[in-house]
Amino acid sequence: MTTATATTPAPRVLLVGATSRTGLFAVPHLLKKGWHIIASVRSEARAAEVKKLAEATAAGTLETYVLDLTSLKTPADARAVLDATKPTYVVWPAGANEDADAETIHAIDFVAAQAFMRATVADTNVTKYMHLSYLQNRRRHAPWWNAEDGKISDYFNTEVIGIFHKARVVSDGLFAALVAQRRKTDPAFQGILFRPSVLVDTEPTGKFRIVRAAATGSVTRADTADVLVRLLARDDVHGYVDLENGEAGADEEIQKAVAEGFDAIEGEFDSTEALLAEYGLN
Ligand SMILES: NC(=O)c1ccc[n+]([C@@H]2O[C@H](COP(=O)([O-])OP(=O)(O)OC[C@H]3O[C@@H](n4cnc5c(N)ncnc54)[C@H](OP(=O)(O)O)[C@@H]3O)[C@@H](O)[C@H]2O)c1
């Protein structure tokens, strides 16, 4: 008699904003894991670019899904995307483009992002959700920052990307609140707010700081994509993960953060209960 052995299906990874510069670096790493990638792209024209990356990678499988993020106005709109794509992992490296006007930034980084967060965290088929934000996006200076870190972060958030900051600081808080609420009954759920510092396109260094990162650094998009996939592949990472290029290898620095139980959310909110109350989730 032969006994059938159940094989675990490969994770289905919905990559929202697959044509982001970071997303394009991430696609080959995601495929190399042998995962199935659903690459959400704004148009068919951009889909070809992503499909080419899959042709060059032997492992994994990829499909594309056309989605204009400005069409996501409610959690029900986002729910329809999840119903159509059936992901187990979701990664959001999307965001309004750097030259977007205030209305578009609000539509994507506030309305669509929050609709998507609400639908995704409520989806019990999704076991990991990684949303990208940026390291300096805080309501309060991190307790480990020095005066220069505080000054540069205030400057970014008011003088350089003020409209993004206003949208994202509310969205990031909602993400933290929704994840905290879900983890009350599902502690294995991984909600990761991945927060690279200023993104640059120089050569990757393969060296990082995650634990108590400064606000004055930067990190390459290629390095960010590499760390993104390493984080996603682990079962023990959740919370706010800051990233800048530094001195340690990726796995060494991730392991250090896990071993210390370090979460860059530290110092951001008075308490989890206060956070939940702010978003009406308690
Ligand atoms: N810039 C920084 O220094 C920095 C620092 C830390 C974190 N971040 C965040 O990290 C993430 C990755 O950054 P990045 O620089 O790699 O991103 P990016 O190249 O600016 O890509 C943004 C993505 O969002 C998509 N998008 C914009 N509007 C859309 C719409 N209406 N419908 C569908 N898709 C739309 C773009 O699609 P198209 O390709 O079709 O335009 C693109 O795929 C973003 O969330 C970013 O905000 C940025």
Side-chain angles (χ1 to χ4, degrees), residues 17-23 41-42 46 67-70 92-98 108-109 132-135 168 196-199 221:
T19 55
S20 59
R21 287 160 287 178
T22 305
V41 291
R42 190 202 298 249
R46 302 284 337 249
L67 174 66
D68 181 344
L69 294 175
T70 58
W92 173 295
N97 291 346
E98 280 154 13
I108 293 172
D109 292 292
L132 268 77
S133 186
Y134 64 99
L135 184 149
R168 286 197 165 211
S197 192
V198 175
L199 289 169
R221 286 185 172 86

PDB file of all heavy atoms in Angstrom, residues 17-23 41-42 46 67-70 92-98 108-109 132-135 168 196-199 221, ligand 1:
ATOM      1  N   GLY A  17       2.870  46.879  -6.651  1.00  0.00           N
ATOM      2  CA  GLY A  17       3.873  47.870  -7.070  1.00  0.00           C
ATOM      3  C   GLY A  17       5.133  47.143  -7.494  1.00  0.00           C
ATOM      4  O   GLY A  17       6.248  47.525  -7.132  1.00  0.00           O
ATOM      5  N   ALA A  18       4.961  46.081  -8.299  1.00  0.00           N
ATOM      6  CA  ALA A  18       6.108  45.253  -8.699  1.00  0.00           C
ATOM      7  C   ALA A  18       7.100  46.024  -9.553  1.00  0.00           C
ATOM      8  O   ALA A  18       8.271  45.666  -9.613  1.00  0.00           O
ATOM      9  CB  ALA A  18       5.610  44.022  -9.453  1.00  0.00           C
ATOM     10  N   THR A  19       6.637  47.104 -10.215  1.00  0.00           N
ATOM     11  CA  THR A  19       7.567  47.882 -11.039  1.00  0.00           C
ATOM     12  C   THR A  19       8.247  48.999 -10.261  1.00  0.00           C
ATOM     13  O   THR A  19       8.956  49.817 -10.842  1.00  0.00           O
ATOM     14  CB  THR A  19       6.845  48.507 -12.255  1.00  0.00           C
ATOM     15  OG1 THR A  19       5.738  49.277 -11.756  1.00  0.00           O
ATOM     16  CG2 THR A  19       6.375  47.452 -13.227  1.00  0.00           C
ATOM     17  N   SER A  20       8.036  49.043  -8.952  1.00  0.00           N
ATOM     18  CA  SER A  20       8.830  50.000  -8.162  1.00  0.00           C
ATOM     19  C   SER A  20      10.291  49.604  -8.354  1.00  0.00           C
ATOM     20  O   SER A  20      10.597  48.431  -8.615  1.00  0.00           O
ATOM     21  CB  SER A  20       8.451  49.925  -6.685  1.00  0.00           C
ATOM     22  OG  SER A  20       8.671  48.616  -6.187  1.00  0.00           O
ATOM     23  N   ARG A  21      11.199  50.570  -8.223  1.00  0.00           N
ATOM     24  CA  ARG A  21      12.616  50.251  -8.447  1.00  0.00           C
ATOM     25  C   ARG A  21      13.067  49.155  -7.476  1.00  0.00           C
ATOM     26  O   ARG A  21      13.804  48.251  -7.842  1.00  0.00           O
ATOM     27  CB  ARG A  21      13.451  51.530  -8.319  1.00  0.00           C
ATOM     28  CG  ARG A  21      13.251  52.457  -9.523  1.00  0.00           C
ATOM     29  CD  ARG A  21      13.651  53.877  -9.244  1.00  0.00           C
ATOM     30  NE  ARG A  21      12.688  54.554  -8.367  1.00  0.00           N
ATOM     31  CZ  ARG A  21      12.818  55.796  -7.934  1.00  0.00           C
ATOM     32  NH1 ARG A  21      13.887  56.512  -8.288  1.00  0.00           N
ATOM     33  NH2 ARG A  21      11.896  56.337  -7.140  1.00  0.00           N
ATOM     34  N   THR A  22      12.553  49.190  -6.246  1.00  0.00           N
ATOM     35  CA  THR A  22      12.902  48.148  -5.268  1.00  0.00           C
ATOM     36  C   THR A  22      12.223  46.830  -5.634  1.00  0.00           C
ATOM     37  O   THR A  22      12.835  45.756  -5.531  1.00  0.00           O
ATOM     38  CB  THR A  22      12.465  48.601  -3.857  1.00  0.00           C
ATOM     39  OG1 THR A  22      13.060  49.879  -3.604  1.00  0.00           O
ATOM     40  CG2 THR A  22      12.907  47.614  -2.798  1.00  0.00           C
ATOM     41  N   GLY A  23      10.970  46.907  -6.070  1.00  0.00           N
ATOM     42  CA  GLY A  23      10.229  45.699  -6.441  1.00  0.00           C
ATOM     43  C   GLY A  23      10.913  44.949  -7.574  1.00  0.00           C
ATOM     44  O   GLY A  23      11.014  43.716  -7.542  1.00  0.00           O
ATOM     45  N   VAL A  41       0.820  45.381 -11.344  1.00  0.00           N
ATOM     46  CA  VAL A  41       1.421  46.460 -12.136  1.00  0.00           C
ATOM     47  C   VAL A  41       0.318  47.415 -12.588  1.00  0.00           C
ATOM     48  O   VAL A  41      -0.834  47.021 -12.707  1.00  0.00           O
ATOM     49  CB  VAL A  41       2.148  45.887 -13.385  1.00  0.00           C
ATOM     50  CG1 VAL A  41       3.380  45.103 -12.994  1.00  0.00           C
ATOM     51  CG2 VAL A  41       1.222  45.001 -14.212  1.00  0.00           C
ATOM     52  N   ARG A  42       0.726  48.647 -12.849  1.00  0.00           N
ATOM     53  CA  ARG A  42      -0.277  49.653 -13.202  1.00  0.00           C
ATOM     54  C   ARG A  42      -0.892  49.396 -14.579  1.00  0.00           C
ATOM     55  O   ARG A  42      -2.061  49.700 -14.804  1.00  0.00           O
ATOM     56  CB  ARG A  42       0.389  51.031 -13.204  1.00  0.00           C
ATOM     57  CG  ARG A  42      -0.557  52.168 -13.310  1.00  0.00           C
ATOM     58  CD  ARG A  42       0.154  53.394 -13.842  1.00  0.00           C
ATOM     59  NE  ARG A  42       1.223  53.878 -12.981  1.00  0.00           N
ATOM     60  CZ  ARG A  42       1.184  55.014 -12.309  1.00  0.00           C
ATOM     61  NH1 ARG A  42       0.115  55.760 -12.374  1.00  0.00           N
ATOM     62  NH2 ARG A  42       2.210  55.406 -11.594  1.00  0.00           N
ATOM     63  N   ARG A  46       3.709  47.854 -18.529  1.00  0.00           N
ATOM     64  CA  ARG A  46       4.753  47.608 -17.517  1.00  0.00           C
ATOM     65  C   ARG A  46       4.890  46.123 -17.185  1.00  0.00           C
ATOM     66  O   ARG A  46       5.907  45.679 -16.672  1.00  0.00           O
ATOM     67  CB  ARG A  46       4.458  48.387 -16.228  1.00  0.00           C
ATOM     68  CG  ARG A  46       4.327  49.871 -16.347  1.00  0.00           C
ATOM     69  CD  ARG A  46       5.581  50.698 -16.508  1.00  0.00           C
ATOM     70  NE  ARG A  46       6.863  50.242 -16.082  1.00  0.00           N
ATOM     71  CZ  ARG A  46       7.565  50.742 -15.070  1.00  0.00           C
ATOM     72  NH1 ARG A  46       7.067  51.695 -14.330  1.00  0.00           N
ATOM     73  NH2 ARG A  46       8.765  50.317 -14.801  1.00  0.00           N
ATOM     74  N   LEU A  67      -3.468  46.620 -11.918  1.00  0.00           N
ATOM     75  CA  LEU A  67      -4.200  47.318 -10.857  1.00  0.00           C
ATOM     76  C   LEU A  67      -3.755  48.772 -10.789  1.00  0.00           C
ATOM     77  O   LEU A  67      -2.578  49.058 -10.545  1.00  0.00           O
ATOM     78  CB  LEU A  67      -3.908  46.625  -9.510  1.00  0.00           C
ATOM     79  CG  LEU A  67      -4.462  47.291  -8.251  1.00  0.00           C
ATOM     80  CD1 LEU A  67      -5.992  47.258  -8.246  1.00  0.00           C
ATOM     81  CD2 LEU A  67      -3.921  46.596  -6.999  1.00  0.00           C
ATOM     82  N   ASP A  68      -4.710  49.686 -10.987  1.00  0.00           N
ATOM     83  CA  ASP A  68      -4.419  51.106 -10.751  1.00  0.00           C
ATOM     84  C   ASP A  68      -4.762  51.377  -9.291  1.00  0.00           C
ATOM     85  O   ASP A  68      -5.924  51.242  -8.886  1.00  0.00           O
ATOM     86  CB  ASP A  68      -5.268  51.978 -11.693  1.00  0.00           C
ATOM     87  CG  ASP A  68      -4.971  53.464 -11.485  1.00  0.00           C
ATOM     88  OD1 ASP A  68      -4.364  53.831 -10.445  1.00  0.00           O
ATOM     89  OD2 ASP A  68      -5.348  54.259 -12.362  1.00  0.00           O
ATOM     90  N   LEU A  69      -3.765  51.726  -8.522  1.00  0.00           N
ATOM     91  CA  LEU A  69      -3.984  51.866  -7.074  1.00  0.00           C
ATOM     92  C   LEU A  69      -4.997  52.952  -6.738  1.00  0.00           C
ATOM     93  O   LEU A  69      -5.640  52.892  -5.684  1.00  0.00           O
ATOM     94  CB  LEU A  69      -2.658  52.145  -6.368  1.00  0.00           C
ATOM     95  CG  LEU A  69      -1.650  50.986  -6.410  1.00  0.00           C
ATOM     96  CD1 LEU A  69      -0.325  51.409  -5.795  1.00  0.00           C
ATOM     97  CD2 LEU A  69      -2.206  49.764  -5.687  1.00  0.00           C
ATOM     98  N   THR A  70      -5.163  53.934  -7.628  1.00  0.00           N
ATOM     99  CA  THR A  70      -6.139  54.987  -7.314  1.00  0.00           C
ATOM    100  C   THR A  70      -7.573  54.450  -7.352  1.00  0.00           C
ATOM    101  O   THR A  70      -8.500  55.115  -6.923  1.00  0.00           O
ATOM    102  CB  THR A  70      -6.011  56.201  -8.263  1.00  0.00           C
ATOM    103  OG1 THR A  70      -6.184  55.749  -9.603  1.00  0.00           O
ATOM    104  CG2 THR A  70      -4.666  56.884  -8.130  1.00  0.00           C
ATOM    105  N   TRP A  92       4.006  45.210  -0.136  1.00  0.00           N
ATOM    106  CA  TRP A  92       3.584  46.489  -0.746  1.00  0.00           C
ATOM    107  C   TRP A  92       4.785  47.446  -0.810  1.00  0.00           C
ATOM    108  O   TRP A  92       5.031  48.173   0.145  1.00  0.00           O
ATOM    109  CB  TRP A  92       2.448  47.095   0.092  1.00  0.00           C
ATOM    110  CG  TRP A  92       1.990  48.470  -0.283  1.00  0.00           C
ATOM    111  CD1 TRP A  92       2.714  49.629  -0.215  1.00  0.00           C
ATOM    112  CD2 TRP A  92       0.686  48.859  -0.764  1.00  0.00           C
ATOM    113  NE1 TRP A  92       1.951  50.694  -0.620  1.00  0.00           N
ATOM    114  CE2 TRP A  92       0.707  50.259  -0.965  1.00  0.00           C
ATOM    115  CE3 TRP A  92      -0.480  48.158  -1.048  1.00  0.00           C
ATOM    116  CZ2 TRP A  92      -0.400  50.967  -1.418  1.00  0.00           C
ATOM    117  CZ3 TRP A  92      -1.589  48.877  -1.502  1.00  0.00           C
ATOM    118  CH2 TRP A  92      -1.555  50.256  -1.685  1.00  0.00           C
ATOM    119  N   PRO A  93       5.547  47.430  -1.930  1.00  0.00           N
ATOM    120  CA  PRO A  93       6.601  48.440  -2.094  1.00  0.00           C
ATOM    121  C   PRO A  93       6.118  49.613  -2.955  1.00  0.00           C
ATOM    122  O   PRO A  93       6.917  50.343  -3.533  1.00  0.00           O
ATOM    123  CB  PRO A  93       7.711  47.653  -2.813  1.00  0.00           C
ATOM    124  CG  PRO A  93       6.972  46.626  -3.619  1.00  0.00           C
ATOM    125  CD  PRO A  93       5.619  46.388  -2.981  1.00  0.00           C
ATOM    126  N   ALA A  94       4.806  49.776  -3.063  1.00  0.00           N
ATOM    127  CA  ALA A  94       4.225  50.831  -3.903  1.00  0.00           C
ATOM    128  C   ALA A  94       4.235  52.165  -3.167  1.00  0.00           C
ATOM    129  O   ALA A  94       4.518  52.246  -1.976  1.00  0.00           O
ATOM    130  CB  ALA A  94       2.791  50.450  -4.284  1.00  0.00           C
ATOM    131  N   GLY A  95       3.876  53.177  -3.882  1.00  0.00           N
ATOM    132  CA  GLY A  95       3.762  54.512  -3.302  1.00  0.00           C
ATOM    133  C   GLY A  95       3.584  55.485  -4.437  1.00  0.00           C
ATOM    134  O   GLY A  95       3.957  55.180  -5.585  1.00  0.00           O
ATOM    135  N   ALA A  96       2.997  56.631  -4.132  1.00  0.00           N
ATOM    136  CA  ALA A  96       2.855  57.644  -5.185  1.00  0.00           C
ATOM    137  C   ALA A  96       4.247  57.982  -5.712  1.00  0.00           C
ATOM    138  O   ALA A  96       5.210  58.044  -4.943  1.00  0.00           O
ATOM    139  CB  ALA A  96       2.177  58.885  -4.615  1.00  0.00           C
ATOM    140  N   ASN A  97       4.344  58.197  -7.011  1.00  0.00           N
ATOM    141  CA  ASN A  97       5.655  58.507  -7.593  1.00  0.00           C
ATOM    142  C   ASN A  97       6.154  59.860  -7.066  1.00  0.00           C
ATOM    143  O   ASN A  97       5.374  60.690  -6.597  1.00  0.00           O
ATOM    144  CB  ASN A  97       5.561  58.482  -9.126  1.00  0.00           C
ATOM    145  CG  ASN A  97       5.348  57.061  -9.647  1.00  0.00           C
ATOM    146  OD1 ASN A  97       5.522  56.091  -8.900  1.00  0.00           O
ATOM    147  ND2 ASN A  97       4.967  56.934 -10.906  1.00  0.00           N
ATOM    148  N   GLU A  98       7.482  60.028  -7.144  1.00  0.00           N
ATOM    149  CA  GLU A  98       8.094  61.198  -6.496  1.00  0.00           C
ATOM    150  C   GLU A  98       7.553  62.532  -7.013  1.00  0.00           C
ATOM    151  O   GLU A  98       7.531  63.521  -6.287  1.00  0.00           O
ATOM    152  CB  GLU A  98       9.625  61.133  -6.652  1.00  0.00           C
ATOM    153  CG  GLU A  98      10.243  60.196  -5.627  1.00  0.00           C
ATOM    154  CD  GLU A  98      11.577  59.584  -6.061  1.00  0.00           C
ATOM    155  OE1 GLU A  98      12.168  60.061  -7.048  1.00  0.00           O
ATOM    156  OE2 GLU A  98      12.007  58.628  -5.383  1.00  0.00           O
ATOM    157  N   ILE A 108      -3.124  57.418  -2.955  1.00  0.00           N
ATOM    158  CA  ILE A 108      -2.359  56.160  -2.888  1.00  0.00           C
ATOM    159  C   ILE A 108      -1.839  55.880  -1.476  1.00  0.00           C
ATOM    160  O   ILE A 108      -2.064  54.795  -0.922  1.00  0.00           O
ATOM    161  CB  ILE A 108      -1.208  56.189  -3.911  1.00  0.00           C
ATOM    162  CG1 ILE A 108      -1.815  56.186  -5.309  1.00  0.00           C
ATOM    163  CG2 ILE A 108      -0.257  54.993  -3.716  1.00  0.00           C
ATOM    164  CD1 ILE A 108      -0.857  56.391  -6.422  1.00  0.00           C
ATOM    165  N   ASP A 109      -1.133  56.841  -0.894  1.00  0.00           N
ATOM    166  CA  ASP A 109      -0.447  56.570   0.374  1.00  0.00           C
ATOM    167  C   ASP A 109      -1.357  56.685   1.597  1.00  0.00           C
ATOM    168  O   ASP A 109      -0.983  56.277   2.690  1.00  0.00           O
ATOM    169  CB  ASP A 109       0.775  57.496   0.518  1.00  0.00           C
ATOM    170  CG  ASP A 109       1.846  57.133  -0.494  1.00  0.00           C
ATOM    171  OD1 ASP A 109       2.437  56.056  -0.364  1.00  0.00           O
ATOM    172  OD2 ASP A 109       2.045  57.906  -1.450  1.00  0.00           O
ATOM    173  N   LEU A 132       5.890  48.666   2.888  1.00  0.00           N
ATOM    174  CA  LEU A 132       7.090  49.499   2.949  1.00  0.00           C
ATOM    175  C   LEU A 132       6.759  50.936   3.331  1.00  0.00           C
ATOM    176  O   LEU A 132       5.808  51.525   2.814  1.00  0.00           O
ATOM    177  CB  LEU A 132       7.855  49.475   1.610  1.00  0.00           C
ATOM    178  CG  LEU A 132       8.924  48.383   1.568  1.00  0.00           C
ATOM    179  CD1 LEU A 132       8.296  47.029   1.326  1.00  0.00           C
ATOM    180  CD2 LEU A 132       9.992  48.684   0.549  1.00  0.00           C
ATOM    181  N   SER A 133       7.570  51.453   4.242  1.00  0.00           N
ATOM    182  CA  SER A 133       7.487  52.867   4.586  1.00  0.00           C
ATOM    183  C   SER A 133       8.922  53.392   4.619  1.00  0.00           C
ATOM    184  O   SER A 133       9.794  52.805   3.973  1.00  0.00           O
ATOM    185  CB  SER A 133       6.778  53.052   5.924  1.00  0.00           C
ATOM    186  OG  SER A 133       6.579  54.435   6.160  1.00  0.00           O
ATOM    187  N   TYR A 134       9.189  54.448   5.351  1.00  0.00           N
ATOM    188  CA  TYR A 134      10.575  54.935   5.418  1.00  0.00           C
ATOM    189  C   TYR A 134      10.966  55.212   6.863  1.00  0.00           C
ATOM    190  O   TYR A 134      10.135  55.536   7.702  1.00  0.00           O
ATOM    191  CB  TYR A 134      10.789  56.149   4.508  1.00  0.00           C
ATOM    192  CG  TYR A 134      10.004  57.390   4.874  1.00  0.00           C
ATOM    193  CD1 TYR A 134      10.601  58.431   5.594  1.00  0.00           C
ATOM    194  CD2 TYR A 134       8.673  57.554   4.485  1.00  0.00           C
ATOM    195  CE1 TYR A 134       9.898  59.585   5.913  1.00  0.00           C
ATOM    196  CE2 TYR A 134       7.967  58.694   4.818  1.00  0.00           C
ATOM    197  CZ  TYR A 134       8.585  59.719   5.531  1.00  0.00           C
ATOM    198  OH  TYR A 134       7.882  60.842   5.861  1.00  0.00           O
ATOM    199  N   LEU A 135      12.245  55.036   7.116  1.00  0.00           N
ATOM    200  CA  LEU A 135      12.783  55.032   8.483  1.00  0.00           C
ATOM    201  C   LEU A 135      12.478  56.312   9.272  1.00  0.00           C
ATOM    202  O   LEU A 135      12.208  56.259  10.474  1.00  0.00           O
ATOM    203  CB  LEU A 135      14.299  54.797   8.375  1.00  0.00           C
ATOM    204  CG  LEU A 135      15.135  54.659   9.621  1.00  0.00           C
ATOM    205  CD1 LEU A 135      16.322  53.733   9.344  1.00  0.00           C
ATOM    206  CD2 LEU A 135      15.653  55.992  10.143  1.00  0.00           C
ATOM    207  N   ARG A 168       1.504  59.121   5.252  1.00  0.00           N
ATOM    208  CA  ARG A 168       2.096  57.843   5.670  1.00  0.00           C
ATOM    209  C   ARG A 168       2.161  57.669   7.179  1.00  0.00           C
ATOM    210  O   ARG A 168       2.123  56.546   7.674  1.00  0.00           O
ATOM    211  CB  ARG A 168       3.486  57.707   5.068  1.00  0.00           C
ATOM    212  CG  ARG A 168       3.386  57.391   3.588  1.00  0.00           C
ATOM    213  CD  ARG A 168       4.667  56.859   3.065  1.00  0.00           C
ATOM    214  NE  ARG A 168       4.419  56.247   1.768  1.00  0.00           N
ATOM    215  CZ  ARG A 168       5.096  55.229   1.287  1.00  0.00           C
ATOM    216  NH1 ARG A 168       6.056  54.689   1.996  1.00  0.00           N
ATOM    217  NH2 ARG A 168       4.821  54.737   0.104  1.00  0.00           N
ATOM    218  N   PRO A 196      13.145  51.169   4.996  1.00  0.00           N
ATOM    219  CA  PRO A 196      14.490  51.557   4.590  1.00  0.00           C
ATOM    220  C   PRO A 196      14.699  53.053   4.762  1.00  0.00           C
ATOM    221  O   PRO A 196      13.750  53.838   4.676  1.00  0.00           O
ATOM    222  CB  PRO A 196      14.553  51.153   3.114  1.00  0.00           C
ATOM    223  CG  PRO A 196      13.152  50.958   2.678  1.00  0.00           C
ATOM    224  CD  PRO A 196      12.345  50.622   3.889  1.00  0.00           C
ATOM    225  N   SER A 197      15.958  53.448   4.971  1.00  0.00           N
ATOM    226  CA  SER A 197      16.305  54.868   5.000  1.00  0.00           C
ATOM    227  C   SER A 197      16.289  55.399   3.562  1.00  0.00           C
ATOM    228  O   SER A 197      15.753  54.739   2.660  1.00  0.00           O
ATOM    229  CB  SER A 197      17.669  55.029   5.668  1.00  0.00           C
ATOM    230  OG  SER A 197      17.884  56.387   5.953  1.00  0.00           O
ATOM    231  N   VAL A 198      16.894  56.523   3.323  1.00  0.00           N
ATOM    232  CA  VAL A 198      16.883  57.127   1.975  1.00  0.00           C
ATOM    233  C   VAL A 198      17.397  56.099   0.953  1.00  0.00           C
ATOM    234  O   VAL A 198      18.477  55.533   1.132  1.00  0.00           O
ATOM    235  CB  VAL A 198      17.769  58.388   1.955  1.00  0.00           C
ATOM    236  CG1 VAL A 198      17.860  58.963   0.550  1.00  0.00           C
ATOM    237  CG2 VAL A 198      17.235  59.407   2.939  1.00  0.00           C
ATOM    238  N   LEU A 199      16.607  55.835  -0.095  1.00  0.00           N
ATOM    239  CA  LEU A 199      16.979  54.811  -1.078  1.00  0.00           C
ATOM    240  C   LEU A 199      17.878  55.410  -2.158  1.00  0.00           C
ATOM    241  O   LEU A 199      17.581  56.484  -2.704  1.00  0.00           O
ATOM    242  CB  LEU A 199      15.714  54.223  -1.712  1.00  0.00           C
ATOM    243  CG  LEU A 199      14.882  53.340  -0.774  1.00  0.00           C
ATOM    244  CD1 LEU A 199      13.523  53.017  -1.395  1.00  0.00           C
ATOM    245  CD2 LEU A 199      15.619  52.045  -0.430  1.00  0.00           C
ATOM    246  N   ARG A 221      18.750  50.347  -3.199  1.00  0.00           N
ATOM    247  CA  ARG A 221      17.513  49.596  -3.500  1.00  0.00           C
ATOM    248  C   ARG A 221      17.824  48.112  -3.687  1.00  0.00           C
ATOM    249  O   ARG A 221      17.046  47.263  -3.292  1.00  0.00           O
ATOM    250  CB  ARG A 221      16.826  50.174  -4.746  1.00  0.00           C
ATOM    251  CG  ARG A 221      16.144  51.506  -4.474  1.00  0.00           C
ATOM    252  CD  ARG A 221      15.362  52.009  -5.684  1.00  0.00           C
ATOM    253  NE  ARG A 221      14.567  53.182  -5.334  1.00  0.00           N
ATOM    254  CZ  ARG A 221      15.023  54.434  -5.348  1.00  0.00           C
ATOM    255  NH1 ARG A 221      16.273  54.682  -5.706  1.00  0.00           N
ATOM    256  NH2 ARG A 221      14.233  55.442  -5.001  1.00  0.00           N
TER     257      ARG A 221
HETATM  258  N1  LIG B   1      12.561  57.195  -2.117  1.00  0.00           N
HETATM  259  C1  LIG B   1      13.084  56.892  -0.957  1.00  0.00           C
HETATM  260  O1  LIG B   1      14.184  57.371  -0.593  1.00  0.00           O
HETATM  261  C2  LIG B   1      12.380  55.945  -0.036  1.00  0.00           C
HETATM  262  C3  LIG B   1      12.939  55.686   1.203  1.00  0.00           C
HETATM  263  C4  LIG B   1      12.351  54.718   2.005  1.00  0.00           C
HETATM  264  C5  LIG B   1      11.199  54.073   1.593  1.00  0.00           C
HETATM  265  N2  LIG B   1      10.640  54.379   0.397  1.00  0.00           N
HETATM  266  C6  LIG B   1       9.418  53.614   0.021  1.00  0.00           C
HETATM  267  O2  LIG B   1       9.867  52.315  -0.366  1.00  0.00           O
HETATM  268  C7  LIG B   1       9.018  51.799  -1.407  1.00  0.00           C
HETATM  269  C8  LIG B   1       9.867  51.469  -2.630  1.00  0.00           C
HETATM  270  O3  LIG B   1      10.507  52.664  -3.084  1.00  0.00           O
HETATM  271  P1  LIG B   1      10.954  52.818  -4.614  1.00  0.00           P
HETATM  272  O4  LIG B   1      11.714  54.092  -4.707  1.00  0.00           O
HETATM  273  O5  LIG B   1      11.562  51.559  -5.073  1.00  0.00           O
HETATM  274  O6  LIG B   1       9.527  52.987  -5.287  1.00  0.00           O
HETATM  275  P2  LIG B   1       9.222  53.665  -6.718  1.00  0.00           P
HETATM  276  O7  LIG B   1      10.286  53.286  -7.688  1.00  0.00           O
HETATM  277  O8  LIG B   1       8.959  55.125  -6.522  1.00  0.00           O
HETATM  278  O9  LIG B   1       7.901  52.916  -7.165  1.00  0.00           O
HETATM  279  C9  LIG B   1       6.603  53.279  -6.802  1.00  0.00           C
HETATM  280  C10 LIG B   1       5.674  52.199  -7.347  1.00  0.00           C
HETATM  281  O10 LIG B   1       4.307  52.546  -7.089  1.00  0.00           O
HETATM  282  C11 LIG B   1       3.597  52.390  -8.317  1.00  0.00           C
HETATM  283  N3  LIG B   1       2.468  53.287  -8.474  1.00  0.00           N
HETATM  284  C12 LIG B   1       2.415  54.628  -8.287  1.00  0.00           C
HETATM  285  N4  LIG B   1       1.176  55.080  -8.580  1.00  0.00           N
HETATM  286  C13 LIG B   1       0.449  53.996  -8.983  1.00  0.00           C
HETATM  287  C14 LIG B   1      -0.883  53.802  -9.403  1.00  0.00           C
HETATM  288  N5  LIG B   1      -1.769  54.807  -9.485  1.00  0.00           N
HETATM  289  N6  LIG B   1      -1.287  52.553  -9.719  1.00  0.00           N
HETATM  290  C15 LIG B   1      -0.436  51.510  -9.666  1.00  0.00           C
HETATM  291  N7  LIG B   1       0.845  51.630  -9.258  1.00  0.00           N
HETATM  292  C16 LIG B   1       1.273  52.860  -8.927  1.00  0.00           C
HETATM  293  C17 LIG B   1       4.594  52.706  -9.413  1.00  0.00           C
HETATM  294  O11 LIG B   1       4.104  52.196 -10.627  1.00  0.00           O
HETATM  295  P3  LIG B   1       4.722  52.720 -12.024  1.00  0.00           P
HETATM  296  O12 LIG B   1       6.030  51.989 -12.120  1.00  0.00           O
HETATM  297  O13 LIG B   1       3.731  52.268 -13.031  1.00  0.00           O
HETATM  298  O14 LIG B   1       4.865  54.197 -11.929  1.00  0.00           O
HETATM  299  C18 LIG B   1       5.796  51.967  -8.848  1.00  0.00           C
HETATM  300  O15 LIG B   1       5.682  50.599  -9.111  1.00  0.00           O
HETATM  301  C19 LIG B   1       7.958  52.856  -1.646  1.00  0.00           C
HETATM  302  O16 LIG B   1       6.859  52.578  -0.818  1.00  0.00           O
HETATM  303  C20 LIG B   1       8.653  54.122  -1.178  1.00  0.00           C
HETATM  304  O17 LIG B   1       7.746  55.139  -0.822  1.00  0.00           O
HETATM  305  C21 LIG B   1      11.204  55.286  -0.442  1.00  0.00           C
END
